[in-house]
Amino acid sequence: MKKIMNDPNEIVDEMIEGMIVAHSQLIQRVPETGIIQRRAEKTGKVGIVSGGGSGHEPAHAGFVGEGMLSAAVCGAVFTSPTPDQILEAIKVADEGAGVFLIIKNYSGDIMNFEMAQELAEMEDIEVESIVVDDDVAVEDSIFTQGKRGVAGTIFVHKILGYAAQQGKSIKEIKKLAEELVPNIKSIGLALTGVTTPGASQASFTLGENEIEYGVGIHGEPGYRREKLQPSYDLAEELLTKLAEEFDVTRRFAVIINGLGGTPLMEQYVFTNDVKKLMDKDEWSIDFYKVGNFMTSLEMQGLSLTLLCLEDDFYMEALSAPVETISW
Amino acid sequence: MKKIMNDPNEIVDEMIEGMIVAHSQLIQRVPETGIIQRRAEKTGKVGIVSGGGSGHEPAHAGFVGEGMLSAAVCGAVFTSPTPDQILEAIKVADEGAGVFLIIKNYSGDIMNFEMAQELAEMEDIEVESIVVDDDVAVEDSIFTQGKRGVAGTIFVHKILGYAAQQGKSIKEIKKLAEELVPNIKSIGLALTGVTTPGASQASFTLGENEIEYGVGIHGEPGYRREKLQPSYDLAEELLTKLAEEFDVTRRFAVIINGLGGTPLMEQYVFTNDVKKLMDKDEWSIDFYKVGNFMTSLEMQGLSLTLLCLEDDFYMEALSAPVETISW
Amino acid sequence: MNMDLQTGIRWMELFNEDIQQNKDYLTQLDTPIGDSDHGNNMSRGMDQVIQAIEAESPDSLEALLKLVTSTLLSKVGGASGPLYGSAFMGMLKILKGDNTSSWDKVLRGGLDSIQKRGKAEVGDKTMVDVWAPVVKSLENKQLTHVVIEEAVEATKPLKAKKGRASYVGDRSIGHIDPGAYSSALLFQAMLKSEEK
Amino acid sequence: MNMDLQTGIRWMELFNEDIQQNKDYLTQLDTPIGDSDHGNNMSRGMDQVIQAIEAESPDSLEALLKLVTSTLLSKVGGASGPLYGSAFMGMLKILKGDNTSSWDKVLRGGLDSIQKRGKAEVGDKTMVDVWAPVVKSLENKQLTHVVIEEAVEATKPLKAKKGRASYVGDRSIGHIDPGAYSSALLFQAMLKSEEK
Ligand SMILES: Nc1ncnc2c1ncn2[C@@H]1O[C@H](COP(=O)(O)OP(=O)(O)O)[C@@H](O)[C@H]1O
Ligand SMILES: Nc1ncnc2c1ncn2[C@@H]1O[C@H](COP(=O)(O)OP(=O)(O)O)[C@@H](O)[C@H]1O
Ligand SMILES: [Mg+2]
Ligand SMILES: [Mg+2]
Ligand SMILES: [Mg+2]
Ligand SMILES: [Mg+2]
């Protein structure tokens, strides 16, 4: 896999530098760390911190800014950042009202964020957290690590970021987060695997006409391979999987998320099919995001996220303006 | 090439539909056309219309909105829209002060827009236009079609859109455009070719470790193939080509434009290298855009655009807020 | 040669068949020196032309040319849309001006329109390099299939100066121009329409 | 077995060599059931450990373990960073509490810490499946290279219940766990450090 890069070991560092020069009005780097911090003024509100491995750009740094994240921590490619880095991010995000961590459900992320939380508490910073596990592709997850956190995390960033901006307390944010996450479900599909910088082979390889349902955002294999179907059928497969997860409420916010190598044209075609299918079921979509939000390097494919709009606060939060690079 | 689509003949239509459902607050479709119109209120100012073949998303419809384009016309994939469609776009964009057309320098685009302009003038709409030809890759262009219009067109959209919003007359916009375009230079490179929907083969094929400099945004071949170099060297090659085009002023606005399949991570690494090289030459970059703006379906690669900030109005225009999907 | 409504319709039908059969080949020609869509463009356009003829049953050669013009102009796009559209519009103009014009004069009007719109000269490696010798041979009553074939072949060594192929400079040399090829199909079909 | 500062340093050096040599293989193991980075993660971490030892010349086994702990915690990330970090931290705790603790007690402290942090049980197809039998054999004074090899091999038929491999469910069966393999390298290096 050809990549525009220099030394694969420096790729995250150079990416952060590039990001900073391009968006210096909005963000700044905490020197010598993988932490990107917003430039917004501190106002004594709860800080929101997210992060994880790199390779998912614009996540997470693209969502740093007034009304969303206070800071994001970038680990190595597909590798959770370390506790000391997360601790540092907690410190810069702390405005006196505590810091809330948004963690995706991976062993590595959980352990590193947990250790950071312990370290922060030793320094008397109040820290709470939520683990996002929106990916319904993983079956049989009860006795294991559970489900993965994927693109639905972006909704968590936005809604909790808004709550913090509104001056909610860390306990209120914790409660909001616990109610919110079970309402978010995602599932993806891939047309290609993904190759990490410097690696000699792709995570997996698909045939010339083959796709895979249920892949993760780190090249984790999915639940089924088959021949590429028309977009409408792909949308139907993903929506059917998601529909099993919801019952009463039929109003949704949707993310159609490109995985990095999928042109916008295809994402919009797919959006059109999702809309058609939702109309057929008389499910309404009140809010759309279409684009590359939580990617997997150059992977071709996309994911579909539904957020059940149970609480009116969700729409209020989603519609509020923010100053970030990528929301 | 696997694509998420249904019928390749319907791909543009379905894409437009998807775009509209996703962004219905900002844009609307002129029924049964390939025209996307902004929802902003009409205020009697000059209308700005752009367009061209599809497959370059978010261009051009992503730049429709208050402060930028009044309307965009989407042709078939890589095929200029027809005169009747462009005429229709001119009509919906007309608020009484005339309509200005932004045309990229391709035979097809020029002829179709020219015919539309003739038709509009027959209906007493004042129409002026500019042809954008920012791609310096094409050498020896004096006695031919000239140079291609590529990503630099986005700057033209933004600056003329702002001028129109400020209430400038169509003659003033024409003058501004004629001064602006020679200050914009672009050049691209590809890691892969591109396959149009339904086509059985790619426009060109590159080896496992091969890149091509100077490619166009329709899979047109470039000026040189060679082994993939580190990002820094790629940036140096492109900047050297661009530098030949400028002399005195050393303040620039820059677009680092992903061609569709290039992850943001690589675009930011490249951005960092561009910054380093510009610093070395003591050229200053006052404004950055990094992302996918003028793409070529799923092509991997990027282009670099420099706008020489000769006139202070350019920065004022670039910095002004807009309400579009993708600026 | 003579042209009337029936021959004209047959001409368009034959042209459409050839275009559909050669769709992939035209796109292939448009790949090394263009953007791989000439087959699609012509196929889409001619499909619509045939549909329009069936739907509207034009009752004169003039009405037919008018229908072909407006269909090509509004359905093809790209470079070939306005050029083929202009060609038929130019032919229509001559016919309208003088209903008794000989067919070579009519075609000359088409060629003039192409050149007015596209500013290409003979030798620029475009469809003009087929239109110009064809019209000339017709004027001299010497138009044959061979003349057409030779005209297309002759675009191969040329370096493109107009259209998308001009962007590849010297590397356009050695390839047949796609628009020249589709124009050859047009004139082959014209000859066949008369043969019948 | 006995451990002292010199043996400890040699242990880390040997472990580093093995990790660097097996970097690609570890990543390969992490491909079908993980995210293809275990080799990178361990290589980055151990490279830093060796640099830290050279830079800081720890003057006691305790100081060495402390240095390894903080380096792994701050340079590796992912799952293996906090787990290996916790392992050395757990070992350090035992040694700090009682300087005369036998080495198997110290390692037991490491294992406990891994399980506290990662909540994995024996049979979950993680590094615990190497750590647990190794510690037990050491307690019984029966630790050999063969024991270690068998423990790694034994992860192959297991279905993963913790870590990233658990996301692939049944399809984790039939693959060696990468963290188990790197832990095996750790203990092989430990045995070699003593042999010398
Ligand atoms: N200025 C021009 N004058 C005459 N013919 C032209 C001109 N520009 C392009 N052409 C013709 O159009 C053909 C390409 O048509 P097509 O591929 O359908 O359009 P596009 O180039 O917009 O993709 C060329 O092969 C050439 O014969
Ligand atoms: N909860 C856990 N308990 C014990 N070991 C674990 C746990 N989660 C993961 N591991 C170990 O970590 C290894 C993976 O490490 P690595 O690939 O470096 O991290 P990541 O999974 O974050 O990419 C697995 O092979 C497994 O041995
Ligand atoms: Mg990892
Ligand atoms: Mg075209
Ligand atoms: Mg073409
Ligand atoms: Mg891993």
Side-chain angles (χ1 to χ4, degrees):
Chain A
M1 175 52 58
K2 287 174 275 191
K3 287 184 196 290
I4 298 172
M5 64 172 179
N6 299 296
D7 180 349
N9 295 315
E10 302 296 328
I11 196 166
V12 173
D13 187 64
E14 294 180 4
M15 169 191 78
I16 295 174
E17 285 301 305
M19 224 171 172
I20 298 292
V21 299
H23 308 287
S24 53
Q25 324 84 331
L26 284 176
I27 53 169
Q28 63 195 42
R29 181 177 195 169
V30 179
E32 283 165 63
T33 70
I35 302 160
I36 286 170
Q37 183 191 5
R38 69 183 172 204
R39 279 194 178 279
E41 230 180 291
K42 301 211 167 191
T43 53
K45 293 172 184 166
V46 173
I48 309 275
V49 169
S50 185
S54 291
H56 309 300
E57 293 65 34
H60 301 83
F63 305 107
V64 169
E66 182 59 30
M68 236 168 142
L69 303 179
S70 312
V73 206
C74 310
V77 175
F78 290 176
T79 303
S80 162
T82 55
D84 55 321
Q85 296 267 313
I86 302 167
L87 172 64
E88 198 56 35
I90 292 172
K91 285 186 189 167
V92 301
D94 183 30
E95 305 185 5
V99 174
F100 195 87
L101 306 179
I102 300 173
I103 310 171
K104 291 191 293 318
N105 189 29
Y106 300 97
S107 297
D109 291 67
I110 289 181
M111 291 187 286
N112 286 290
F113 276 82
E114 230 169 53
M115 291 179 92
Q117 179 162 358
E118 290 162 17
L119 294 169
E121 280 161 358
M122 277 158 55
E123 301 195 21
D124 291 321
I125 305 176
E126 195 180 355
V127 179
E128 291 285 359
S129 64
I130 188 78
V131 174
V132 183
D133 60 347
D134 54 322
D135 190 343
V136 305
V138 177
E139 293 147 40
D140 162 32
S141 59
I142 315 288
F143 304 106
T144 68
Q145 186 64 38
K147 293 177 284 159
R148 298 174 298 221
V150 292
T153 311
I154 308 303
F155 277 154
V156 182
H157 292 167
K158 183 68 173 78
I159 294 171
L160 301 192
Y162 177 73
Q165 192 185 32
Q166 294 300 98
K168 290 208 193 292
S169 74
I170 193 159
K171 297 285 175 245
E172 289 169 316
I173 291 177
K174 170 87 178 162
K175 184 161 169 283
L176 175 64
E178 280 172 347
E179 286 165 5
L180 171 63
V181 166
N183 281 304
I184 305 177
K185 304 292 173 192
S186 300
I187 188 161
L189 66 87
L191 275 57
T192 65
V194 61
T195 310
T196 50
S200 52
Q201 61 177 52
S203 55
F204 56 84
T205 321
L206 291 170
E208 224 192 294
N209 248 310
E210 204 178 29
I211 61 152
E212 180 151 344
Y213 291 113
V215 295
I217 54 171
H218 308 91
E220 301 99 335
Y223 63 83
R224 195 169 84 232
R225 281 186 188 196
E226 61 178 42
K227 221 178 123 256
L228 175 64
Q229 306 296 324
S231 167
Y232 185 87
D233 300 343
L234 300 177
E236 191 162 36
E237 165 78 22
L238 298 193
L239 263 181
T240 306
K241 280 265 172 191
L242 292 177
E244 290 165 12
E245 308 281 329
F246 297 103
D247 34 52
V248 189
T249 313
R250 271 131 175 50
R251 288 176 46 228
F252 294 93
V254 164
I255 305 175
I256 282 125
N257 174 57
L259 289 177
T262 300
L264 216 40
M265 174 177 264
E266 298 175 34
Q267 298 179 35
Y268 282 123
V269 167
F270 186 83
T271 302
N272 184 46
D273 291 319
V274 169
K275 166 82 164 99
K276 276 192 202 163
L277 285 156
M278 298 281 277
D279 280 353
K280 228 176 77 178
D281 285 343
E282 289 175 17
W283 288 23
S284 90
I285 310 180
D286 295 7
F287 186 90
Y288 286 91
K289 287 304 273 184
V290 182
N292 295 350
F293 302 107
M294 179 71 78
T295 62
S296 184
L297 296 170
E298 76 288 345
M299 184 183 271
Q300 290 192 351
L302 48 72
S303 69
L304 178 61
T305 298
L306 296 190
L307 157 61
C308 179
L309 294 168
E310 276 235 304
D311 184 334
D312 287 342
F313 182 77
Y314 300 166
M315 261 308 270
E316 181 187 328
L318 292 175
S319 316
V322 285
E323 284 176 45
T324 64
I325 303 167
S326 311
W327 170 255
Chain B
M1 174 51 58
K2 286 175 275 193
K3 288 184 195 291
I4 298 172
M5 63 171 178
N6 299 296
D7 181 349
N9 295 316
E10 301 297 328
I11 197 167
V12 173
D13 187 63
E14 294 180 4
M15 168 190 80
I16 295 174
E17 285 302 303
M19 224 171 172
I20 298 291
V21 299
H23 309 288
S24 53
Q25 325 86 329
L26 284 176
I27 54 168
Q28 64 195 41
R29 182 178 194 168
V30 179
E32 284 165 62
T33 70
I35 302 160
I36 286 170
Q37 182 190 5
R38 69 183 172 205
R39 279 194 179 279
E41 229 179 291
K42 300 211 167 189
T43 52
K45 293 171 183 167
V46 173
I48 309 276
V49 169
S50 185
S54 291
H56 308 302
E57 292 65 33
H60 303 84
F63 304 107
V64 168
E66 183 59 30
M68 235 167 142
L69 302 179
S70 312
V73 207
C74 310
V77 175
F78 290 175
T79 303
S80 163
T82 56
D84 55 321
Q85 296 267 313
I86 302 167
L87 172 63
E88 198 55 36
I90 291 172
K91 285 186 189 166
V92 301
D94 183 29
E95 304 184 7
V99 174
F100 195 87
L101 307 179
I102 299 172
I103 310 170
K104 291 190 292 321
N105 189 30
Y106 300 97
S107 298
D109 291 66
I110 287 181
M111 290 187 286
N112 286 290
F113 276 81
E114 231 169 52
M115 290 178 94
Q117 178 162 359
E118 290 163 16
L119 294 169
E121 281 161 358
M122 276 159 55
E123 301 195 23
D124 291 322
I125 306 176
E126 194 180 357
V127 179
E128 292 284 358
S129 63
I130 188 78
V131 174
V132 183
D133 60 346
D134 54 321
D135 190 343
V136 304
V138 177
E139 293 146 42
D140 158 33
S141 59
I142 314 288
F143 304 106
T144 69
Q145 188 63 38
K147 293 176 283 159
R148 299 175 297 223
V150 290
T153 311
I154 308 303
F155 277 154
V156 182
H157 292 168
K158 183 67 173 81
I159 293 170
L160 301 192
Y162 177 73
Q165 192 185 32
Q166 294 298 98
K168 289 206 191 292
S169 74
I170 193 160
K171 297 285 175 243
E172 288 169 317
I173 291 176
K174 171 86 178 161
K175 185 162 168 283
L176 175 64
E178 281 172 346
E179 286 164 5
L180 171 63
V181 167
N183 282 303
I184 305 177
K185 304 293 173 192
S186 300
I187 189 161
L189 65 86
L191 276 55
T192 65
V194 61
T195 311
T196 50
S200 52
Q201 61 177 55
S203 55
F204 57 83
T205 321
L206 292 170
E208 222 192 295
N209 246 310
E210 204 179 30
I211 60 153
E212 180 150 344
Y213 292 113
V215 294
I217 54 171
H218 308 91
E220 301 101 333
Y223 64 82
R224 195 171 83 233
R225 281 186 189 196
E226 62 177 42
K227 223 177 120 257
L228 175 63
Q229 306 295 324
S231 168
Y232 186 87
D233 299 343
L234 300 178
E236 190 162 38
E237 166 77 22
L238 299 193
L239 263 182
T240 307
K241 280 266 172 190
L242 292 176
E244 291 164 12
E245 307 282 327
F246 297 104
D247 33 53
V248 189
T249 313
R250 274 134 174 47
R251 289 178 44 230
F252 294 93
V254 164
I255 304 175
I256 281 124
N257 172 57
L259 289 176
T262 301
L264 216 40
M265 174 178 265
E266 297 176 34
Q267 296 179 35
Y268 282 124
V269 167
F270 186 83
T271 302
N272 183 46
D273 290 320
V274 169
K275 167 81 163 99
K276 276 193 203 163
L277 284 156
M278 298 282 275
D279 280 353
K280 227 175 80 178
D281 286 341
E282 288 173 18
W283 289 24
S284 90
I285 309 180
D286 294 7
F287 186 90
Y288 285 90
K289 289 302 274 186
V290 182
N292 295 351
F293 302 105
M294 180 71 79
T295 63
S296 182
L297 297 171
E298 76 288 346
M299 185 184 271
Q300 290 192 349
L302 47 74
S303 68
L304 177 62
T305 298
L306 297 190
L307 158 61
C308 178
L309 294 169
E310 276 236 304
D311 184 335
D312 287 341
F313 182 77
Y314 300 166
M315 261 308 271
E316 182 187 327
L318 293 175
S319 315
V322 284
E323 284 176 47
T324 65
I325 304 167
S326 310
W327 169 255
Chain C
M1 77 174 274
N2 289 312
M3 183 58 71
D4 56 23
L5 175 63
Q6 283 327 309
T7 317
I9 289 178
R10 186 146 173 76
W11 176 26
M12 288 302 109
E13 285 168 352
L14 288 167
F15 182 41
N16 175 53
E17 281 167 25
D18 289 353
I19 285 292
Q20 305 308 343
Q21 260 172 35
N22 288 280
K23 177 178 167 183
D24 287 348
Y25 181 61
L26 287 170
T27 291
Q28 236 172 287
L29 289 178
D30 199 29
T31 298
I33 61 171
D35 60 348
S36 315
D37 63 357
H38 190 56
N40 276 344
N41 292 344
M42 295 306 296
S43 152
R44 181 174 62 245
M46 286 312 299
D47 182 64
Q48 296 280 337
V49 164
I50 298 304
Q51 281 186 39
I53 291 174
E54 275 164 19
E56 313 217 347
S57 314
D59 58 4
S60 67
L61 184 57
E62 214 181 289
L64 174 69
L65 294 184
K66 206 168 161 183
L67 194 61
V68 174
T69 302
S70 66
T71 307
L72 291 177
L73 272 182
S74 67
K75 300 299 178 192
V76 179
S80 44
L83 288 169
Y84 274 102
S86 294
F88 281 88
M89 195 188 281
M91 287 154 67
L92 179 64
K93 267 186 200 154
I94 303 293
L95 207 68
K96 261 193 165 163
D98 176 3
N99 222 314
T100 64
S101 295
S102 66
W103 187 241
D104 56 308
K105 278 212 185 107
V106 173
L107 281 187
R108 166 73 62 193
L111 170 58
D112 287 348
S113 260
I114 291 177
Q115 292 193 273
K116 216 163 147 193
R117 181 57 63 198
K119 317 260 171 353
E121 299 296 329
V122 169
D124 284 356
K125 193 176 185 115
T126 69
M127 57 175 72
V128 169
D129 293 314
V130 166
W131 278 77
V134 161
V135 170
K136 205 165 171 198
S137 306
L138 198 65
E139 285 165 353
N140 300 334
K141 307 209 179 333
Q142 292 175 335
L143 181 63
T144 61
H145 287 286
V146 176
V147 168
I148 301 172
E149 275 159 30
E150 283 176 359
V152 184
E153 271 307 309
T155 66
K156 208 166 174 176
L158 296 175
K159 174 169 166 181
K161 300 236 176 67
K162 279 282 174 294
R164 216 176 271 282
S166 71
Y167 300 131
V168 302
D170 283 340
R171 277 163 304 154
S172 66
I173 294 170
H175 299 279
I176 288 173
D177 177 63
Y181 196 91
S182 62
S183 294
L185 294 179
L186 176 74
F187 294 119
Q188 307 273 21
M190 184 181 79
L191 289 183
K192 281 188 271 174
S193 72
E194 196 196 31
E195 282 158 23
K196 222 209 121 181
Chain D
M1 78 175 275
N2 289 311
M3 185 58 72
D4 56 24
L5 175 63
Q6 281 327 308
T7 317
I9 290 178
R10 189 149 169 72
W11 177 26
M12 288 302 108
E13 285 168 351
L14 288 168
F15 182 41
N16 175 52
E17 280 168 26
D18 287 353
I19 285 290
Q20 305 307 343
Q21 259 172 36
N22 288 281
K23 177 179 167 182
D24 288 348
Y25 181 61
L26 287 170
T27 291
Q28 236 171 286
L29 290 177
D30 199 29
T31 298
I33 61 171
D35 60 347
S36 315
D37 63 357
H38 190 57
N40 275 344
N41 292 345
M42 294 306 296
S43 151
R44 183 174 60 244
M46 287 312 298
D47 182 65
Q48 296 280 338
V49 163
I50 297 304
Q51 282 187 38
I53 291 175
E54 276 166 17
E56 312 217 348
S57 313
D59 58 3
S60 68
L61 183 57
E62 214 181 289
L64 174 68
L65 293 183
K66 206 168 161 184
L67 194 61
V68 174
T69 302
S70 66
T71 307
L72 291 177
L73 273 181
S74 68
K75 300 298 178 192
V76 179
S80 44
L83 288 169
Y84 275 102
S86 295
F88 281 88
M89 197 189 280
M91 288 154 68
L92 180 63
K93 269 188 202 153
I94 303 293
L95 208 68
K96 261 192 164 165
D98 176 3
N99 222 312
T100 65
S101 296
S102 65
W103 187 241
D104 54 308
K105 278 210 184 109
V106 172
L107 281 187
R108 167 71 63 193
L111 171 59
D112 288 348
S113 260
I114 291 177
Q115 291 193 274
K116 216 163 147 192
R117 180 58 62 198
K119 317 261 172 349
E121 299 297 328
V122 169
D124 284 357
K125 194 177 186 115
T126 69
M127 57 175 70
V128 169
D129 293 315
V130 165
W131 277 77
V134 161
V135 170
K136 205 166 170 195
S137 306
L138 199 64
E139 285 166 353
N140 299 335
K141 307 206 177 340
Q142 293 176 333
L143 181 63
T144 61
H145 285 286
V146 175
V147 168
I148 301 171
E149 274 158 33
E150 283 175 359
V152 184
E153 271 307 309
T155 65
K156 208 166 174 174
L158 296 174
K159 174 169 164 179
K161 300 236 176 68
K162 279 282 176 292
R164 216 175 273 280
S166 72
Y167 300 129
V168 301
D170 283 339
R171 277 163 304 153
S172 66
I173 295 170
H175 299 279
I176 289 174
D177 177 64
Y181 195 91
S182 62
S183 294
L185 294 180
L186 177 73
F187 293 119
Q188 307 273 21
M190 185 181 79
L191 290 183
K192 281 188 271 171
S193 73
E194 196 197 31
E195 281 159 22
K196 220 209 119 175

